[in-house]
Amino acid sequence: MPAVPARLGRRGLAIGIDIGGTKVAAGVVDAHGEVLAELARPTPATDPRMVEEAIMGLVSEFEASYRIWSVGIGAAGWMDQSGSTVLFSPHLAWRNEPLRKNLEYKLRRRVMVVNDADAAGWAEWRFGAGRGESRLVCVTLGTGIGGSLISNGMVERGRYGVAGEYGHQIIVPQGHRCECGNRGCWEQYASGNALGREGRELARANSPVAQDLLRAVGGDPDAITGALVTKRAAEGDPTCVELVQDVGHWLGMGLANLAAALDPGRFVIGGGLSGAGDLLLQPTQASFQRHLTGRGFRPAAPISMAQFGARAGMVGAADMARISARSGTRGTRPARSGT
Ligand SMILES: [Zn+2]
């Protein structure tokens, strides 16, 4: 796809901007969730003003070719209830940052700031694997675990706006240290980072089963990542298949906990690890069934892999902003939309 194709003037277009730890990904998204153009920049993580500059640069580049309705920003972190202020972002320099006000002033258009996991879940609920589900839980497996709950067409953020931290449920008492300060959090066992760490540990232990994996990185265990293990598992490396299955075990256990607490109609698994497809899904489903409380007596929610991949945050942020601007609502709860 060319960076900015010259398709002009489609009504209801919004820009979705997904601010990750290393990359700012932006796209022009139409009312059907189709990405018409996209651009990416490295994330200037050190200075909030530089992040704003990067956002403004991306918006003006798109505006040269498209008539834009609104702008949605998705970022890791906690937003206040109104979707105006970023209270805290783990890998950006935002602390109580009034991001929406700053950007609306500079861009002279409606801006919405949302949690990136909510945006990804919204994209799957609107157009993807969870389309139309009345109570949907999405988990995004990347560096950690992002979580969202979409109930009756609304993103649920909790009383204080900080719900969805599923990745920090403690699943192994006194387990691996988590950057949140606790030990044994779910994301230390069921994320892309966890998969990479397990691969590295296996390689460092000089286990004969890790020889092929180690050879693939030129003998350097530090070069083993979750993405590499996922790729090699898909290619049939039996050790990497086992490592993905282990993640599925933990993933299914955590989903069973979420089912007990939230009773969703469906789970959608997104993020980089969802690229493992059935290799991950099957052990996850088996573990989920094994750990589901009241199993045999309660319906087991189906588990699906996400459809949007890496674009979920971009598509969801754009759509939330488009609906919010059209309906005149503010904050992280766009009204239910039929379009
Ligand atoms: Zn934690």
Side-chain angles (χ1 to χ4, degrees):
M1 180 187 307
V4 182
R7 290 168 69 175
L8 303 170
R10 285 176 67 167
R11 184 175 160 79
L13 299 182
I15 294 175
I17 302 181
D18 187 0
I19 303 178
T22 57
K23 190 176 76 169
V24 179
V28 177
V29 183
D30 74 8
H32 306 288
E34 190 189 340
V35 178
L36 306 180
E38 55 190 316
L39 295 166
R41 301 270 184 276
T43 303
T46 51
D47 181 356
R49 298 286 91 75
M50 287 175 67
V51 178
E52 287 176 18
E53 294 293 326
I55 291 168
M56 287 163 57
L58 289 161
V59 170
S60 64
E61 207 162 322
F62 285 133
E63 281 183 322
S65 302
Y66 294 93
R67 189 151 170 257
I68 300 299
W69 190 258
S70 53
V71 178
I73 316 274
W78 295 331
M79 317 307 163
D80 73 346
Q81 280 287 42
S82 67
S84 308
T85 301
V86 183
L87 301 174
F88 169 78
S89 183
H91 44 236
L92 293 162
W94 290 332
R95 302 289 182 268
N96 290 312
E97 184 70 21
L99 186 64
R100 186 170 74 189
K101 194 175 89 191
N102 294 351
L103 286 172
E104 285 191 336
Y105 178 74
K106 289 174 177 168
L107 294 171
R108 295 173 187 275
R109 66 182 64 251
R110 296 291 285 270
V111 171
M112 191 171 189
V113 181
V114 297
N115 174 274
D116 57 352
D118 286 342
W122 184 261
E124 295 296 335
W125 176 75
R126 283 271 289 155
F127 311 111
R131 186 165 34 212
E133 169 57 52
S134 63
R135 193 163 169 81
L136 179 69
V137 166
C138 286
V139 295
T140 306
L141 311 180
T143 312
I145 295 180
S148 62
L149 169 63
I150 294 161
S151 185
N152 295 318
M154 307 273 272
V155 175
E156 291 287 341
R157 285 308 298 165
R159 170 64 178 82
Y160 301 105
V162 295
E165 295 291 338
Y166 310 142
H168 299 285
Q169 57 171 311
I170 294 172
I171 208 158
V172 179
Q174 301 307 315
H176 288 290
R177 178 67 78 183
C178 182
E179 62 191 36
C180 76
N182 289 330
R183 285 185 179 275
C185 293
W186 190 31
E187 70 175 34
Q188 296 301 317
Y189 295 84
S191 62
N193 268 17
L195 186 60
R197 183 198 64 226
E198 290 298 306
R200 290 190 293 277
E201 279 189 15
L202 195 60
R204 284 199 196 100
N206 276 325
S207 167
V209 301
Q211 277 181 358
D212 286 350
L213 177 58
L214 203 47
R215 205 174 296 126
V217 289
D220 177 12
D222 288 340
I224 296 170
T225 62
L228 176 75
V229 175
T230 304
K231 176 170 169 284
R232 289 187 60 82
E235 291 165 358
D237 179 332
T239 298
C240 292
V241 169
E242 277 185 11
L243 291 170
V244 170
Q245 286 172 337
D246 289 347
V247 167
H249 165 79
W250 294 113
L251 184 56
M253 188 188 288
L255 293 181
N257 289 347
L258 295 182
L262 301 173
D263 190 27
R266 178 177 295 274
F267 291 98
V268 171
I269 311 297
L273 259 183
S274 64
D278 280 351
L279 284 176
L280 178 64
L281 187 56
Q282 284 174 3
T284 300
Q285 284 169 330
S287 174
F288 176 70
Q289 297 283 350
R290 170 65 185 80
H291 294 105
L292 191 61
T293 185
R295 51 193 173 276
F297 297 96
R298 61 180 287 161
I303 304 168
S304 307
M305 287 306 183
Q307 289 182 11
F308 273 96
R311 288 180 179 147
M314 173 199 299
V315 170
D319 194 66
M320 290 171 87
R322 187 182 65 79
I323 291 171
S324 173
R326 193 185 60 184
S327 65
T329 60
R330 306 293 293 245
T332 55
R333 293 183 167 202
R336 179 196 280 269
S337 167
T339 57

